[in-house]
Amino acid sequence: MADIKKLVSMLKELDDLLTGCMRCGMCQAQCPVFAQTGRETDVTRGKLALLSGLSEEILKDPEAVNEKLQRCLLCGTCEANCPSGVKVTDIFLRARAILTGYLGLPPTQRLIFRRLLTNPKLMNNLLSLGSSLQGLFTKDADSVIGTSCARFNAPLIADRHFKKLASKSLHSQTPHKDTPSGKSGLRVAFFPGCVTDKVFPQVGQAVLKIMEHHQVGVFMPPNQACCGIPALSSGETEVFDNLVRQNLDLFAKGKWDYLITPCATCTATIAELWPKYYGDKMDAVRVKELADKVMDVSQFLNDVLKVTPKKAASPAKVAYHDPCHLRNTLKITAQPRQVLAAGGKYAAAELPGGPSCCGSGGSFNIKHYKLSDVIGRKKAESIAATGAKIAATSCPACMLQLSDMLSKSGHSIPVKHVVELYAESL
Ligand code: SF4
Ligand code: SF4
Ligand code: SF4
C-alpha cells in the first residue's frame, strides 16, 4: 500500500475536483459504455457519485469500486460535452492512482509495468522473439485486412482477429535517424510510439518518407520508451514517471523544432498528461517544452508545412474514423482529412451517425473485451455503410481495433493510417 498520508492528500484533491458536477446527467447521451449497458455506474455521473464517497467506499469494498472505475474507455467524450466543464479524465486517472496505491496491481501486470515497460531494450528483444514465434500459434483470418486469429483455444486472445507483430519492427529497420533540416529549415523529433514501432512499421516509414520529401530533418533517437499512458491509466504513477524521464533525457540529446507522432494517444498523453502527472516538478520546464512542441503528424503537415488538398477528378472514398484522443482531447479533426485529400487520390467519407469511440480504450479492450466488441462492431458497420473500400484513421491503437472488428464482421476493408495514404502519392 502507498504511503497513507499521500493517499489522504490525493483523496482531498479528488474531493475538490468532484464539486464541479451538477449531476445533470447530460453525459448519459455521450457515453459509449452506458449506451450498451444502461447502467448508471457505467456513466460519468454514476462514477462521480461513487467517487464522492471514495474514502468510505475504499474501506467497505475497494475491489468493487475499482471494477466500476475500470469500465470506462477514457475516451473523453463526456468531458468534451459536459456543460460544467468537469475534468472527468483527470478525476478518473487520479481515482485509479488512489485505488492502485491502496490495492496494488495484480503481480503479473506489476511485473510487466515495472520490469518490462521501463526497460525498452528488454521489451524490444522479447517482442522480437515473440514475432518470430507467433506463426506457430496463429493462422490467417482475413488476408485483405491482414488479420490473424488463434490456432488453438487461447483465453487471452479469445475470438480476436488481430494484427500480428511485424516481422521487422521500425526500430530494427531504422534504428535511429539524425538528419539536418533541408529546404524547409525545420527539424522534427520523431516519436513513433509502441504500436507503430512493433505492429505498423510501415506507418513510421511513411512518416520518414514524407519528412524526406518535404526536406524536414529528423531526430529519432534509439531506445525510446513508451509514452506512459498504459501505466498512468492503471494508476502506476511511479512507472509513468520513469518512462517520461527516460524520454525527456533521450529527446534532450537533439535540437529540433517540433515533436511529431503518428499516434493520437501518444500526442494527447505528451501534450496533456505529462505536464499534469509527471511527479518530478524540478523537470517542469523540460516537460512543458515537449508538451508545447508535440504535434500529431497530420497537424504538422497541415498547420506547419501547409500541405493542402489537391483537386482530384474522382477521388476514392476513404471512411475516416476520428480517434477520440484527437477529436475530444486535442480538437484535431480537419487536419487528417486535409492530409488524406492532399495526396490527390482520396477523399474522406463521413461515417453515418457521426464520430464516436471505436471501443478500444487500451486496457479496456483486454479487461472488457465483450463490451469493446459490441461498441467496435457498430463502428465496423458504420464504416461499411459508407461504401468505402478503405478505412483510415490517425491512431495505431484504433487501427488494431478497426481491423479486428471489420475482419470479424466479414467486411474485408483494409485499415490504413492517413500518412500511409498520403505517402503513396509522393
Ligand atoms: S459530469 Fe458533467 S454532464 Fe455529467 S452529470 Fe456531471 S455536470 Fe452533468
Ligand atoms: S470517458 Fe468515455 S467511456 Fe468513460 S465515462 Fe466518459 S464517455 Fe463514458
Ligand atoms: S499511446 Fe500507446 S502506442 Fe503510444 S507510446 Fe503509449 S502505449 Fe505506446
Side-chain angles (χ1 to χ4, degrees):
M1 192 199 295
D3 175 359
I4 197 78
K5 273 195 195 150
K6 193 172 162 205
L7 284 180
V8 170
S9 111
M10 287 164 85
L11 278 163
K12 168 85 187 61
E13 284 168 12
L14 188 66
D15 268 346
D16 293 345
L17 286 167
L18 287 165
T19 54
C21 175
M22 304 179 302
R23 312 248 162 131
C24 64
M26 301 265 283
C27 40
Q28 280 191 351
Q30 309 295 337
C31 177
V33 180
F34 180 79
Q36 295 310 319
T37 67
R39 280 163 48 170
E40 178 68 11
T41 50
D42 282 340
V43 78
T44 324
R45 183 177 64 178
K47 286 190 171 63
L48 297 185
L50 182 77
L51 294 177
S52 65
L54 188 59
S55 36
E56 222 173 281
E57 295 297 330
I58 274 188
L59 295 175
K60 269 199 255 160
D61 195 350
E63 277 89 5
V65 183
N66 203 20
E67 214 281 317
K68 288 181 182 121
L69 206 56
Q70 297 295 331
R71 288 169 68 87
C72 167
L73 291 148
L74 293 177
C75 66
T77 318
C78 51
E79 179 168 336
N81 292 283
C82 170
S84 302
V86 177
K87 302 281 176 237
V88 181
T89 317
D90 195 14
I91 292 172
F92 288 170
L93 287 173
R94 282 170 192 263
R96 286 184 184 194
I98 293 171
L99 281 153
T100 300
Y102 185 77
L103 289 169
L105 282 181
T108 323
Q109 206 180 342
R110 197 181 155 105
L111 194 75
I112 292 174
F113 281 149
R114 301 212 162 185
R115 297 270 176 263
L116 258 188
L117 208 62
T118 54
N119 191 340
K121 266 193 203 160
L122 179 63
M123 184 154 108
N124 287 344
N125 289 341
L126 277 179
L127 289 179
S128 112
L129 183 69
S131 150
S132 55
L133 297 176
Q134 62 191 338
L136 299 172
F137 311 101
T138 59
K139 59 181 181 186
D140 288 351
D142 184 308
S143 58
V144 175
I145 306 180
T147 43
S148 301
C149 54
R151 201 182 279 275
F152 313 106
N153 183 18
L156 202 64
I157 295 179
D159 63 341
R160 283 178 173 82
H161 285 192
F162 52 88
K163 297 288 288 188
K164 288 203 289 195
L165 290 165
S167 55
K168 239 179 159 230
S169 59
L170 180 68
H171 74 266
S172 52
Q173 293 173 13
T174 308
H176 68 279
K177 197 113 189 149
D178 197 352
T179 54
S181 53
K183 273 199 189 137
S184 70
L186 295 170
R187 226 164 95 84
V188 293
F190 182 33
F191 184 83
C194 317
V195 186
T196 297
D197 183 49
K198 286 149 186 80
V199 186
F200 300 110
Q202 71 277 16
V203 172
Q205 292 298 1
V207 173
L208 294 176
K209 180 179 173 187
I210 293 168
M211 294 308 140
E212 197 175 329
H213 173 83
H214 288 286
Q215 302 210 23
V216 175
V218 176
F219 173 63
M220 184 173 80
N223 298 319
Q224 297 188 21
C226 163
C227 68
I229 187 66
L232 185 66
S233 57
S234 300
E236 267 282 10
T237 48
E238 280 175 34
V239 173
F240 172 77
D241 281 356
N242 180 319
L243 296 167
V244 176
R245 192 173 305 112
Q246 289 190 44
N247 284 315
L248 285 177
D249 291 344
L250 272 185
F251 285 100
K253 291 180 180 160
K255 288 218 175 315
W256 39 269
D257 306 292
Y258 299 95
L259 173 66
I260 57 164
T261 97
C263 173
T265 310
C266 298
T267 316
T269 301
I270 298 170
E272 300 283 325
L273 305 183
W274 282 17
K276 261 190 215 146
Y277 298 103
Y278 181 54
D280 185 351
K281 297 303 164 212
M282 302 288 283
D283 261 338
V285 175
R286 290 208 293 166
V287 169
K288 184 164 183 330
E289 191 193 2
L290 264 72
D292 287 348
K293 288 184 173 178
V294 71
M295 274 194 178
D296 166 67
V297 62
S298 64
Q299 185 188 12
F300 174 73
L301 288 173
N302 202 260
D303 300 358
V304 180
L305 294 186
K306 308 288 181 201
V307 161
T308 46
K310 267 193 205 146
K311 285 230 168 359
S314 48
K317 272 203 277 186
V318 173
Y320 181 70
H321 161 69
D322 286 284
C324 293
H325 289 129
L326 278 196
R327 178 172 65 100
N328 294 327
T329 314
L330 300 167
K331 315 291 178 212
I332 291 174
T333 52
Q335 294 91 330
R337 289 170 169 81
Q338 303 270 74
V339 169
L340 252 184
K345 247 172 90 182
Y346 302 109
E350 300 305 325
L351 306 189
S356 62
C357 179
C358 66
S360 167
S363 62
F364 182 88
N365 178 279
I366 299 167
K367 291 182 181 144
H368 300 290
Y369 185 60
K370 279 197 181 142
L371 261 176
S372 171
D373 186 68
V374 186
I375 299 168
R377 296 250 193 170
K378 279 176 72 182
K379 173 66 63 178
E381 292 311 324
S382 69
I383 288 174
T386 62
K389 301 280 180 278
I390 303 176
T393 186
S394 309
C395 177
C398 300
M399 288 172 74
L400 292 177
Q401 172 80 342
L402 299 183
S403 300
D404 182 6
M405 298 303 146
L406 286 162
S407 177
K408 280 201 310 197
S409 316
H411 300 297
S412 274
I413 302 174
V415 182
K416 304 277 182 185
H417 193 289
V418 289
V419 294
E420 285 182 87
L421 299 176
Y422 175 61
E424 269 180 19
S425 68
L426 304 178

